[in-house]
Amino acid sequence: MNVYRCRICGDPYLGEIVPSRCPFCGAHPRYFVPAYDYRTPGEVSLSKKTRENLEKALELEIGNSCFYRGAAKVADSEEGRALFVALSKAEAEHAGVVCKLLGTAKPEELYETGDCSPVHQENLDESHRRETRAVHLYRQFLEDAEEDRVREVLEALIEIESDHMGLSE
């Protein structure tokens, strides 16, 4: 058994091989390192523009996590509930990563249940819109980012949110 760490969320993973996606944040395998090689990212000095963009990213991740928590409660199948619970947890993990970059604590509202449609298919459609918006925004933020750590996180989030778009098609 090996111990790995995700360079995006920092969470450990136990397994014979690196997972196909981080079970916590969804990062792709290239972001995993053996635990003995892992180095906790240091504090990042953020430009004003990057800080503003990360604050927008945090708002988006909180809103998505809350939305998915609500959608899980009205899903029309066990698969739908599982999908929205998993997405809610991943988005909350993303919010935690952004909070680390900002040097702030996770906000309390991150764990609230958000508004959603009572119709499962409408929530799937909304999910796709939310993930598409996240990818679009994170690509813009990536263009503005000068900090290497921020660029790494945004690149990973773009990949992860793109993966999520495929779940609601």
Side-chain angles (χ1 to χ4, degrees):
M1 178 89 47
N2 298 308
V3 182
Y4 299 97
R5 296 281 301 265
C6 174
R7 288 193 339 257
I8 302 306
C9 68
D11 286 330
Y13 174 78
L14 302 173
E16 295 301 321
I17 60 171
V18 171
S20 63
R21 301 288 186 273
C22 176
F24 307 102
C25 73
H28 288 203
R30 69 186 174 105
Y31 295 104
F32 274 88
V33 296
Y36 55 80
D37 284 342
Y38 180 80
R39 302 291 175 263
T40 301
E43 187 176 313
V44 178
S45 179
L46 303 174
S47 71
K48 181 180 178 188
K49 182 66 172 177
T50 295
R51 180 167 292 283
E52 289 171 0
N53 286 344
L54 289 175
E55 288 169 352
K56 290 175 188 172
L58 179 58
E59 185 178 316
L60 182 138
E61 296 294 346
I62 291 168
N64 286 353
S65 183
C66 294
F67 167 77
Y68 289 133
R69 194 168 294 102
K73 292 184 177 190
V74 298
D76 63 4
S77 68
E78 184 54 39
E79 180 182 12
R81 275 187 292 283
L83 170 65
F84 287 132
V85 166
L87 288 170
S88 176
K89 288 181 178 184
E91 302 296 338
E93 189 72 32
H94 299 169
V97 170
V98 173
C99 285
K100 287 177 190 173
L101 288 169
L102 289 168
T104 60
K106 289 182 186 178
E108 300 256 343
E109 66 265 23
L110 179 59
Y111 302 102
E112 294 175 2
T113 299
D115 294 331
C116 65
S117 170
V119 179
H120 181 72
Q121 185 59 51
E122 289 178 7
N123 289 330
L124 285 173
D125 295 342
E126 177 63 16
S127 170
H128 192 78
R129 283 189 292 277
R130 286 171 176 267
E131 300 300 338
T132 300
R133 179 172 181 257
V135 168
H136 178 74
L137 280 175
Y138 294 162
R139 283 186 179 138
Q140 289 178 340
F141 297 167
L142 182 59
E143 288 180 20
D144 294 337
E146 300 171 5
E147 305 86 352
D148 289 339
R149 173 64 179 156
V150 174
R151 291 184 62 77
E152 178 182 47
V153 168
L154 289 170
E155 287 170 357
L157 290 177
I158 290 166
E159 293 172 352
I160 297 163
E161 304 295 4
S162 294
D163 290 345
H164 292 174
M165 287 168 48
L167 295 170
S168 60
E169 292 178 329

